[in-house]
Amino acid sequence: MPKRVDHRERRALIADALMRVAAEQGLEAVSLRHVAAAAEVSPGMVQHYFRTRDEMMVFALAVVRERNEERVRRAVEPLGATPAPRALLRAMLAELLPLDEERRADGRVALAFLAYTAVRPAVAAALHDETAALLAFVAGQIAAGSPLVADGRVDPERSAVGLLAVMEGLGIYVLGGHYPPETALAALDAQLDLIFGADPAR
Amino acid sequence: MPKRVDHRERRALIADALMRVAAEQGLEAVSLRHVAAAAEVSPGMVQHYFRTRDEMMVFALAVVRERNEERVRRAVEPLGATPAPRALLRAMLAELLPLDEERRADGRVALAFLAYTAVRPAVAAALHDETAALLAFVAGQIAAGSPLVADGRVDPERSAVGLLAVMEGLGIYVLGGHYPPETALAALDAQLDLIFGADPAR
DNA sequence: CGTTTTACATTACGACTGCATTGAAAAGAG
DNA sequence: CTCTTTTCAATGCAGTCGTAATGTAAAACG
Protein backbone atom coordinates (compact mmCIF):
# COMPACT_ATOMS: atom_id res chain seq x y z
CA MET A 1 0.00 0.00 0.00
CA PRO A 2 2.22 2.82 -1.17
CA LYS A 3 1.24 6.38 -1.88
CA ARG A 4 -0.70 7.14 1.31
CA VAL A 5 2.10 7.26 3.88
CA ASP A 6 2.86 9.99 6.34
CA HIS A 7 6.33 11.23 5.56
CA ARG A 8 6.81 12.88 8.90
CA GLU A 9 5.85 9.72 10.72
CA ARG A 10 8.32 7.62 8.74
CA ARG A 11 11.09 10.09 9.26
CA ALA A 12 10.32 10.20 12.96
CA LEU A 13 10.43 6.42 13.10
CA ILE A 14 13.81 6.39 11.43
CA ALA A 15 15.14 9.24 13.53
CA ASP A 16 14.04 7.31 16.59
CA ALA A 17 16.09 4.33 15.53
CA LEU A 18 19.00 6.63 14.79
CA MET A 19 18.79 7.98 18.31
CA ARG A 20 18.90 4.51 19.75
CA VAL A 21 21.95 3.59 17.74
CA ALA A 22 23.69 6.85 18.60
CA ALA A 23 22.85 6.52 22.28
CA GLU A 24 24.30 3.04 22.47
CA GLN A 25 27.27 3.19 20.15
CA GLY A 26 27.85 6.82 19.34
CA LEU A 27 27.24 8.87 16.25
CA GLU A 28 30.01 7.19 14.32
CA ALA A 29 28.00 3.98 14.38
CA VAL A 30 25.12 5.75 12.70
CA SER A 31 25.06 4.35 9.19
CA LEU A 32 22.26 3.71 6.77
CA ARG A 33 22.34 0.02 7.44
CA HIS A 34 22.63 0.19 11.21
CA VAL A 35 19.76 2.60 11.49
CA ALA A 36 17.69 0.50 9.13
CA ALA A 37 18.37 -2.57 11.23
CA ALA A 38 17.46 -0.74 14.44
CA ALA A 39 14.24 0.47 12.86
CA GLU A 40 13.63 -2.99 11.48
CA VAL A 41 13.17 -1.71 7.97
CA SER A 42 15.16 -2.16 4.81
CA PRO A 43 18.15 0.06 4.10
CA GLY A 44 16.39 1.07 0.93
CA MET A 45 13.56 2.61 2.89
CA VAL A 46 15.89 4.71 4.99
CA GLN A 47 17.48 5.90 1.83
CA HIS A 48 14.08 6.74 0.44
CA TYR A 49 13.33 9.17 3.24
CA PHE A 50 16.84 10.53 3.71
CA ARG A 51 18.79 10.85 0.54
CA THR A 52 22.06 11.38 2.31
CA ARG A 53 23.48 10.60 5.69
CA ASP A 54 24.02 14.25 6.44
CA GLU A 55 20.36 14.93 5.80
CA MET A 56 19.53 12.27 8.34
CA MET A 57 21.93 13.77 10.86
CA VAL A 58 20.51 17.25 10.51
CA PHE A 59 17.03 15.89 11.01
CA ALA A 60 18.08 13.92 14.06
CA LEU A 61 19.68 16.99 15.57
CA ALA A 62 16.40 18.83 15.14
CA VAL A 63 14.63 15.93 16.83
CA VAL A 64 16.96 16.12 19.82
CA ARG A 65 16.19 19.79 20.23
CA GLU A 66 12.46 19.32 19.83
CA ARG A 67 12.45 16.56 22.40
CA ASN A 68 14.13 18.78 24.94
CA GLU A 69 11.81 21.63 24.15
CA GLU A 70 8.78 19.44 24.58
CA ARG A 71 10.18 18.00 27.78
CA VAL A 72 10.70 21.43 29.24
CA ARG A 73 7.24 22.51 28.16
CA ARG A 74 5.65 19.60 29.97
CA ALA A 75 7.76 20.17 33.07
CA VAL A 76 6.81 23.82 33.25
CA GLU A 77 3.13 23.37 32.52
CA PRO A 78 1.99 22.30 36.00
CA LEU A 79 3.52 25.44 37.46
CA GLY A 80 0.68 27.53 36.11
CA ALA A 81 0.59 30.69 34.08
CA THR A 82 2.86 32.91 36.13
CA PRO A 83 5.31 30.73 38.03
CA ALA A 84 7.88 32.13 40.41
CA PRO A 85 11.15 32.73 38.53
CA ARG A 86 13.23 30.48 40.70
CA ALA A 87 10.77 27.60 40.58
CA LEU A 88 10.44 28.00 36.84
CA LEU A 89 14.17 27.91 36.23
CA ARG A 90 14.61 25.00 38.58
CA ALA A 91 11.93 23.00 36.78
CA MET A 92 13.37 23.79 33.37
CA LEU A 93 16.97 23.07 34.16
CA ALA A 94 16.33 19.97 36.23
CA GLU A 95 14.37 18.58 33.33
CA LEU A 96 17.36 19.04 31.06
CA LEU A 97 19.62 17.01 33.34
CA PRO A 98 20.12 13.32 32.53
CA LEU A 99 18.40 12.12 35.67
CA ASP A 100 16.78 8.96 34.35
CA GLU A 101 17.71 6.44 31.72
CA GLU A 102 15.59 8.05 29.03
CA ARG A 103 17.22 11.41 29.50
CA ARG A 104 20.62 9.76 29.80
CA ALA A 105 20.14 8.23 26.37
CA ASP A 106 19.07 11.53 24.89
CA GLY A 107 21.91 13.23 26.68
CA ARG A 108 24.47 10.93 25.16
CA VAL A 109 23.11 11.73 21.73
CA ALA A 110 23.11 15.45 22.48
CA LEU A 111 26.69 15.22 23.67
CA ALA A 112 27.68 13.38 20.53
CA PHE A 113 26.08 16.13 18.48
CA LEU A 114 27.94 18.72 20.49
CA ALA A 115 31.20 17.17 19.41
CA TYR A 116 29.83 16.70 15.91
CA THR A 117 28.87 20.33 15.48
CA ALA A 118 32.15 21.50 17.01
CA VAL A 119 33.91 20.46 13.82
CA ARG A 120 31.05 21.55 11.56
CA PRO A 121 30.50 25.23 12.28
CA ALA A 122 27.84 25.51 9.60
CA VAL A 123 25.56 23.11 11.44
CA ALA A 124 26.29 24.76 14.76
CA ALA A 125 25.13 28.16 13.60
CA ALA A 126 21.52 27.02 13.77
CA LEU A 127 21.88 26.53 17.51
CA HIS A 128 23.14 30.01 18.29
CA ASP A 129 19.78 31.71 18.10
CA GLU A 130 18.27 29.16 20.42
CA THR A 131 21.01 29.64 22.98
CA ALA A 132 20.73 33.41 22.75
CA ALA A 133 16.99 33.25 23.30
CA LEU A 134 17.32 30.88 26.23
CA LEU A 135 20.02 33.06 27.72
CA ALA A 136 17.84 36.14 27.44
CA PHE A 137 14.91 34.33 28.99
CA VAL A 138 16.94 33.07 31.93
CA ALA A 139 18.43 36.51 32.46
CA GLY A 140 14.95 37.98 32.49
CA GLN A 141 13.78 35.52 35.11
CA ILE A 142 16.78 36.25 37.28
CA ALA A 143 16.30 39.99 36.92
CA ALA A 144 12.68 39.61 37.88
CA GLY A 145 13.10 37.17 40.71
CA SER A 146 16.38 37.65 42.50
CA PRO A 147 16.57 40.18 45.34
CA LEU A 148 20.33 40.22 44.90
CA VAL A 149 20.07 42.00 41.58
CA ALA A 150 19.05 45.31 43.10
CA ASP A 151 22.22 45.84 45.11
CA GLY A 152 24.43 44.66 42.28
CA ARG A 153 25.54 41.45 43.89
CA VAL A 154 24.07 39.52 40.99
CA ASP A 155 24.29 40.49 37.36
CA PRO A 156 21.40 38.89 35.44
CA GLU A 157 23.24 38.39 32.15
CA ARG A 158 26.39 36.96 33.66
CA SER A 159 24.43 34.79 36.05
CA ALA A 160 22.32 33.46 33.23
CA VAL A 161 25.43 32.43 31.34
CA GLY A 162 26.74 30.78 34.48
CA LEU A 163 23.50 29.05 35.26
CA LEU A 164 23.17 27.50 31.81
CA ALA A 165 26.81 26.53 31.90
CA VAL A 166 26.27 24.82 35.24
CA MET A 167 23.39 22.87 33.80
CA GLU A 168 25.40 21.83 30.76
CA GLY A 169 28.43 20.92 32.81
CA LEU A 170 26.46 18.95 35.37
CA GLY A 171 24.88 17.00 32.54
CA ILE A 172 28.28 16.15 31.14
CA TYR A 173 29.62 14.96 34.48
CA VAL A 174 26.56 12.87 35.20
CA LEU A 175 26.72 11.32 31.75
CA GLY A 176 30.34 10.48 32.36
CA GLY A 177 29.31 8.82 35.58
CA HIS A 178 31.56 11.09 37.62
CA TYR A 179 28.87 11.57 40.21
CA PRO A 180 25.26 10.51 40.67
CA PRO A 181 22.23 12.54 39.58
CA GLU A 182 21.48 13.61 43.14
CA THR A 183 24.80 15.39 43.35
CA ALA A 184 24.01 17.29 40.18
CA LEU A 185 20.59 18.21 41.45
CA ALA A 186 22.05 19.42 44.73
CA ALA A 187 24.61 21.50 42.86
CA LEU A 188 21.87 23.00 40.70
CA ASP A 189 19.92 23.99 43.80
CA ALA A 190 23.06 25.40 45.36
CA GLN A 191 23.57 27.48 42.25
CA LEU A 192 20.03 28.79 42.46
CA ASP A 193 20.68 29.58 46.11
CA LEU A 194 23.69 31.61 45.11
CA ILE A 195 21.73 33.54 42.52
CA PHE A 196 18.45 34.00 44.33
CA GLY A 197 19.75 33.97 47.88
CA ALA A 198 19.54 30.93 50.13
CA ASP A 199 16.06 29.55 50.55
CA PRO A 200 15.54 28.70 54.23
CA ALA A 201 12.38 26.76 53.37
CA ARG A 202 14.36 23.87 51.98
CA MET B 1 69.18 3.52 11.53
CA PRO B 2 66.71 1.37 13.37
CA LYS B 3 67.03 0.07 16.88
CA ARG B 4 67.98 3.26 18.70
CA VAL B 5 64.70 5.16 18.59
CA ASP B 6 62.84 6.71 21.48
CA HIS B 7 59.48 4.99 21.64
CA ARG B 8 57.91 7.67 23.71
CA GLU B 9 58.99 10.35 21.31
CA ARG B 10 57.57 8.51 18.31
CA ARG B 11 54.31 7.85 20.08
CA ALA B 12 54.10 11.48 21.07
CA LEU B 13 54.72 12.50 17.48
CA ILE B 14 51.93 10.27 16.29
CA ALA B 15 49.58 11.33 19.06
CA ASP B 16 50.26 14.90 18.08
CA ALA B 17 49.17 14.20 14.54
CA LEU B 18 46.14 12.39 15.87
CA MET B 19 45.18 15.45 17.88
CA ARG B 20 45.42 17.63 14.81
CA VAL B 21 43.20 15.31 12.81
CA ALA B 22 40.70 15.02 15.64
CA ALA B 23 40.62 18.75 16.23
CA GLU B 24 39.90 19.49 12.60
CA GLN B 25 37.63 16.66 11.57
CA GLY B 26 36.54 14.91 14.71
CA LEU B 27 37.47 11.59 16.25
CA GLU B 28 35.66 9.61 13.59
CA ALA B 29 38.19 10.85 11.07
CA VAL B 30 41.00 9.42 13.15
CA SER B 31 42.19 6.44 11.15
CA LEU B 32 45.59 4.86 10.78
CA ARG B 33 46.03 6.34 7.36
CA HIS B 34 44.81 9.82 8.18
CA VAL B 35 47.00 10.06 11.22
CA ALA B 36 49.95 8.72 9.29
CA ALA B 37 49.39 11.30 6.59
CA ALA B 38 49.11 14.10 9.15
CA ALA B 39 52.32 12.94 10.81
CA GLU B 40 53.94 12.57 7.38
CA VAL B 41 54.97 9.01 8.05
CA SER B 42 53.93 5.72 6.55
CA PRO B 43 50.84 3.93 7.84
CA GLY B 44 53.08 1.02 8.66
CA MET B 45 55.00 3.07 11.16
CA VAL B 46 51.85 4.12 12.97
CA GLN B 47 50.88 0.50 13.11
CA HIS B 48 54.27 -0.35 14.48
CA TYR B 49 53.80 1.87 17.51
CA PHE B 50 50.09 1.32 18.00
CA ARG B 51 48.98 -2.16 17.19
CA THR B 52 45.34 -1.27 17.27
CA ARG B 53 43.32 1.86 16.81
CA ASP B 54 41.90 1.60 20.30
CA GLU B 55 45.40 1.56 21.72
CA MET B 56 46.09 4.77 19.88
CA MET B 57 42.90 6.32 21.20
CA VAL B 58 43.65 5.44 24.78
CA PHE B 59 47.09 6.94 24.44
CA ALA B 60 45.70 10.11 22.88
CA LEU B 61 43.21 10.49 25.70
CA ALA B 62 46.06 10.30 28.17
CA VAL B 63 47.89 12.96 26.18
CA VAL B 64 44.91 15.28 26.35
CA ARG B 65 44.82 14.93 30.09
CA GLU B 66 48.53 15.42 30.51
CA ARG B 67 48.45 18.52 28.36
CA ASN B 68 45.77 20.05 30.54
CA GLU B 69 47.59 19.08 33.69
CA GLU B 70 50.79 20.64 32.43
CA ARG B 71 48.97 23.74 31.32
CA VAL B 72 47.41 24.20 34.72
CA ARG B 73 50.72 23.61 36.41
CA ARG B 74 52.38 26.34 34.40
CA ALA B 75 49.48 28.74 34.98
CA VAL B 76 49.60 28.23 38.72
CA GLU B 77 53.35 28.35 39.07
CA PRO B 78 53.80 32.15 39.00
CA LEU B 79 51.35 32.49 41.87
CA GLY B 80 53.95 31.28 44.30
CA ALA B 81 53.93 28.60 46.95
CA THR B 82 50.80 29.56 48.86
CA PRO B 83 48.46 31.41 46.55
CA ALA B 84 45.14 32.82 47.67
CA PRO B 85 42.39 30.25 47.07
CA ARG B 86 40.33 32.44 44.83
CA ALA B 87 43.26 33.51 42.68
CA LEU B 88 44.43 29.92 42.45
CA LEU B 89 41.07 28.62 41.30
CA ARG B 90 40.64 31.46 38.90
CA ALA B 91 44.04 30.77 37.32
CA MET B 92 43.37 27.05 37.06
CA LEU B 93 39.90 27.26 35.63
CA ALA B 94 40.61 30.10 33.23
CA GLU B 95 43.47 28.06 31.86
CA LEU B 96 41.11 25.20 31.13
CA LEU B 97 38.82 27.39 29.06
CA PRO B 98 39.28 27.41 25.28
CA LEU B 99 40.36 31.02 25.15
CA ASP B 100 42.88 30.84 22.33
CA GLU B 101 43.16 28.77 19.19
CA GLU B 102 45.52 26.25 20.75
CA ARG B 103 43.18 25.57 23.62
CA ARG B 104 40.22 25.57 21.27
CA ALA B 105 41.82 22.78 19.28
CA ASP B 106 42.56 20.79 22.42
CA GLY B 107 39.08 21.52 23.67
CA ARG B 108 37.49 20.13 20.55
CA VAL B 109 39.46 16.93 21.01
CA ALA B 110 38.54 16.75 24.68
CA LEU B 111 34.90 17.23 23.80
CA ALA B 112 35.11 14.49 21.22
CA PHE B 113 36.59 12.20 23.84
CA LEU B 114 33.80 13.12 26.22
CA ALA B 115 31.29 11.82 23.74
CA TYR B 116 33.55 8.89 22.98
CA THR B 117 33.85 7.78 26.58
CA ALA B 118 30.13 8.31 27.17
CA VAL B 119 29.47 5.17 25.13
CA ARG B 120 32.54 3.33 26.45
CA PRO B 121 32.15 3.24 30.23
CA ALA B 122 35.29 1.16 30.66
CA VAL B 123 37.46 3.94 29.29
CA ALA B 124 35.59 6.57 31.31
CA ALA B 125 36.33 4.88 34.62
CA ALA B 126 39.92 6.05 34.45
CA LEU B 127 38.71 9.64 34.59
CA HIS B 128 36.64 9.29 37.73
CA ASP B 129 39.53 9.36 40.14
CA GLU B 130 40.88 12.49 38.52
CA THR B 131 37.55 14.25 38.78
CA ALA B 132 37.12 13.19 42.39
CA ALA B 133 40.56 14.49 43.28
CA LEU B 134 39.99 17.77 41.49
CA LEU B 135 36.62 18.14 43.16
CA ALA B 136 38.14 17.57 46.57
CA PHE B 137 40.90 20.06 45.87
CA VAL B 138 38.49 22.76 44.72
CA ALA B 139 36.24 22.14 47.71
CA GLY B 140 39.24 22.50 49.98
CA GLN B 141 40.19 25.81 48.44
CA ILE B 142 36.66 27.10 48.78
CA ALA B 143 36.45 25.97 52.38
CA ALA B 144 39.74 27.69 53.10
CA GLY B 145 39.12 30.88 51.18
CA SER B 146 35.47 31.82 51.19
CA PRO B 147 34.06 33.88 54.05
CA LEU B 148 30.61 32.69 53.07
CA VAL B 149 31.33 29.16 54.23
CA ALA B 150 31.26 30.02 57.92
CA ASP B 151 27.64 31.17 58.02
CA GLY B 152 26.51 28.32 55.81
CA ARG B 153 25.68 30.41 52.77
CA VAL B 154 28.19 28.40 50.75
CA ASP B 155 28.68 24.66 50.95
CA PRO B 156 32.21 23.80 49.79
CA GLU B 157 31.40 20.44 48.22
CA ARG B 158 28.32 21.58 46.36
CA SER B 159 30.02 24.77 45.26
CA ALA B 160 32.99 22.83 43.98
CA VAL B 161 30.71 20.65 41.88
CA GLY B 162 29.03 23.76 40.59
CA LEU B 163 32.26 25.57 39.88
CA LEU B 164 33.73 22.74 37.86
CA ALA B 165 30.45 22.32 36.04
CA VAL B 166 30.47 26.02 35.17
CA MET B 167 33.97 25.68 33.77
CA GLU B 168 33.03 22.65 31.72
CA GLY B 169 29.81 24.22 30.47
CA LEU B 170 31.45 27.50 29.58
CA GLY B 171 34.04 25.60 27.60
CA ILE B 172 31.34 23.79 25.66
CA TYR B 173 29.47 26.97 24.82
CA VAL B 174 32.61 28.78 23.74
CA LEU B 175 33.63 25.83 21.57
CA GLY B 176 30.21 25.88 20.01
CA GLY B 177 30.70 29.55 19.28
CA HIS B 178 27.62 30.50 21.24
CA TYR B 179 29.43 33.38 22.85
CA PRO B 180 32.94 34.82 22.83
CA PRO B 181 35.68 33.86 25.31
CA GLU B 182 35.28 37.15 27.18
CA THR B 183 31.72 36.28 28.09
CA ALA B 184 32.88 32.97 29.50
CA LEU B 185 35.62 34.63 31.47
CA ALA B 186 33.17 37.16 32.85
CA ALA B 187 30.81 34.38 33.86
CA LEU B 188 33.63 32.52 35.55
CA ASP B 189 34.51 35.61 37.56
CA ALA B 190 30.88 36.13 38.41
CA GLN B 191 30.74 32.58 39.67
CA LEU B 192 33.77 33.16 41.83
CA ASP B 193 32.10 36.32 43.10
CA LEU B 194 29.09 34.28 44.09
CA ILE B 195 31.20 31.75 45.93
CA PHE B 196 33.77 34.02 47.53
CA GLY B 197 31.67 37.13 47.84
CA ALA B 198 31.91 40.04 45.44
CA ASP B 199 35.38 41.41 45.04
CA PRO B 200 35.16 45.21 45.08
CA ALA B 201 38.79 45.48 43.92
CA ARG B 202 37.88 44.49 40.39
C1' DC C 1 82.20 -12.19 11.13
C1' DG C 2 77.28 -14.01 11.22
C1' DT C 3 72.99 -13.84 13.68
C1' DT C 4 69.32 -11.77 15.76
C1' DT C 5 66.47 -8.03 16.72
C1' DT C 6 64.34 -3.77 15.76
C1' DA C 7 62.11 -0.41 12.64
C1' DC C 8 59.80 0.34 9.40
C1' DA C 9 57.41 -0.10 4.32
C1' DT C 10 54.29 -2.47 1.44
C1' DT C 11 50.72 -5.17 0.23
C1' DA C 12 46.61 -7.82 0.81
C1' DC C 13 42.10 -9.10 2.75
C1' DG C 14 37.52 -8.97 4.28
C1' DA C 15 34.28 -6.01 6.18
C1' DC C 16 32.12 -1.96 6.01
C1' DT C 17 30.79 2.62 4.24
C1' DG C 18 27.65 6.16 1.46
C1' DC C 19 25.35 6.37 -2.54
C1' DA C 20 23.45 5.46 -7.29
C1' DT C 21 20.78 2.43 -9.85
C1' DT C 22 17.30 -0.70 -11.02
C1' DG C 23 13.09 -3.06 -10.32
C1' DA C 24 8.71 -4.25 -8.70
C1' DA C 25 4.38 -3.71 -6.58
C1' DA C 26 0.64 -1.03 -5.06
C1' DA C 27 -2.56 2.74 -5.26
C1' DG C 28 -4.16 6.76 -6.95
C1' DA C 29 -5.66 9.59 -11.53
C1' DG C 30 -7.87 9.71 -15.98
C1' DC D 1 -9.26 -0.25 -17.89
C1' DT D 2 -4.41 2.16 -18.58
C1' DC D 3 -0.98 5.19 -16.97
C1' DT D 4 1.60 7.45 -13.67
C1' DT D 5 3.37 8.21 -9.23
C1' DT D 6 4.90 6.77 -4.89
C1' DT D 7 7.00 3.37 -1.89
C1' DC D 8 9.94 0.54 -1.03
C1' DA D 9 13.53 -3.56 -1.94
C1' DA D 10 17.69 -5.29 -3.88
C1' DT D 11 21.95 -4.99 -5.99
C1' DG D 12 26.18 -2.97 -7.33
C1' DC D 13 30.20 0.06 -6.98
C1' DA D 14 34.03 2.57 -5.63
C1' DG D 15 36.20 3.80 -1.67
C1' DT D 16 37.79 3.46 3.29
C1' DC D 17 38.38 0.99 7.26
C1' DG D 18 41.26 -1.98 10.75
C1' DT D 19 44.42 -5.47 10.85
C1' DA D 20 47.50 -9.26 9.47
C1' DA D 21 51.22 -10.75 6.86
C1' DT D 22 55.36 -10.19 4.45
C1' DG D 23 59.55 -8.07 3.10
C1' DT D 24 63.76 -5.32 3.77
C1' DA D 25 67.35 -2.78 5.64
C1' DA D 26 70.05 -1.44 9.42
C1' DA D 27 71.91 -1.55 13.96
C1' DA D 28 73.10 -4.34 18.08
C1' DC D 29 74.87 -8.65 19.79
C1' DG D 30 77.88 -12.68 20.45
Side-chain angles (χ1 to χ4, degrees):
Chain A
M1 36 62 165
K3 196 61 173 296
R4 191 58 44 93
V5 297
D6 185 347
H7 261 235
R8 285 193 317 150
E9 181 198 315
R10 287 272 195 264
R11 286 166 82 99
L13 175 89
I14 295 170
D16 225 62
L18 184 155
M19 302 267 288
R20 262 175 282 139
V21 173
E24 283 166 27
Q25 300 165 256
L27 271 191
E28 64 186 54
V30 171
S31 70
L32 283 188
R33 295 169 237 257
H34 276 165
V35 171
E40 294 180 304
V41 301
S42 82
M45 171 162 158
V46 174
Q47 199 172 196
H48 183 68
Y49 289 98
F50 297 100
R51 288 189 303 197
T52 111
R53 189 188 114 111
D54 273 350
E55 201 178 296
M56 191 167 64
M57 294 296 222
V58 169
F59 186 83
L61 176 56
V63 168
V64 170
R65 292 201 286 150
E66 279 163 25
R67 277 204 196 183
N68 274 340
E69 208 176 308
E70 174 63 19
R71 240 200 282 274
V72 169
R73 195 176 305 129
R74 275 203 306 268
V76 163
E77 208 179 24
L79 298 183
T82 56
R86 178 180 175 145
L88 175 59
L89 291 179
R90 145 93 203 197
M92 289 176 61
L93 299 179
E95 191 65 28
L96 292 173
L97 255 25
L99 301 179
D100 56 28
E101 193 42 46
E102 184 189 325
R103 279 176 284 179
R104 281 185 66 85
D106 282 14
R108 281 195 294 271
V109 179
L111 176 55
F113 269 113
L114 235 39
Y116 181 82
T117 56
V119 289
R120 279 167 191 79
V123 185
L127 306 175
H128 293 178
D129 292 351
E130 188 183 4
T131 297
L134 189 52
L135 230 29
F137 177 79
V138 172
Q141 293 296 314
I142 292 175
S146 170
L148 303 182
V149 170
D151 56 2
R153 281 195 287 167
V154 163
D155 174 79
E157 270 78 27
R158 278 162 175 45
S159 299
V161 171
L163 186 54
L164 281 189
V166 165
M167 183 269 289
E168 197 75 40
L170 290 175
I172 301 268
Y173 278 111
V174 170
L175 277 183
H178 294 90
Y179 39 70
E182 304 84 55
T183 301
L185 220 39
L188 176 61
D189 282 323
Q191 183 73 15
L192 290 169
D193 280 348
L194 288 175
I195 294 176
F196 285 88
D199 180 3
R202 220 168 18 84
Chain B
M1 36 57 167
K3 199 61 173 296
R4 191 57 48 92
V5 296
D6 185 347
H7 261 235
R8 283 193 316 150
E9 181 198 315
R10 287 274 196 263
R11 288 168 80 100
L13 175 88
I14 295 170
D16 225 62
L18 184 155
M19 302 269 287
R20 261 175 284 139
V21 172
E24 284 167 26
Q25 301 165 257
L27 272 191
E28 65 184 54
V30 171
S31 70
L32 282 188
R33 295 168 237 258
H34 277 163
V35 171
E40 293 181 306
V41 300
S42 81
M45 171 163 158
V46 175
Q47 196 171 198
H48 183 68
Y49 289 98
F50 298 99
R51 287 189 305 196
T52 120
R53 189 188 113 110
D54 273 351
E55 202 178 295
M56 191 166 64
M57 293 297 223
V58 169
F59 186 82
L61 176 56
V63 168
V64 170
R65 292 201 286 150
E66 279 164 26
R67 277 204 197 183
N68 274 340
E69 207 175 308
E70 174 63 19
R71 237 200 284 274
V72 168
R73 194 178 304 127
R74 275 203 305 269
V76 163
E77 208 178 23
L79 298 184
T82 57
R86 178 181 174 144
L88 175 59
L89 292 179
R90 145 94 204 196
M92 289 177 61
L93 299 180
E95 192 65 28
L96 292 173
L97 255 26
L99 300 179
D100 55 28
E101 192 44 44
E102 184 188 325
R103 280 177 282 178
R104 282 185 65 86
D106 281 16
R108 280 195 294 269
V109 180
L111 176 56
F113 269 114
L114 235 40
Y116 182 81
T117 56
V119 290
R120 279 168 192 79
V123 184
L127 306 174
H128 293 179
D129 292 351
E130 190 183 3
T131 297
L134 190 52
L135 230 28
F137 177 80
V138 172
Q141 292 296 313
I142 293 174
S146 170
L148 304 182
V149 171
D151 56 2
R153 280 195 287 168
V154 163
D155 175 78
E157 271 78 25
R158 279 163 174 45
S159 299
V161 171
L163 186 55
L164 281 189
V166 165
M167 183 269 290
E168 197 75 40
L170 290 175
I172 302 258
Y173 279 110
V174 171
L175 278 183
H178 294 91
Y179 40 70
E182 305 84 55
T183 301
L185 220 40
L188 176 61
D189 283 323
Q191 182 74 14
L192 290 168
D193 280 348
L194 288 175
I195 294 176
F196 286 88
D199 179 2
R202 217 168 21 81

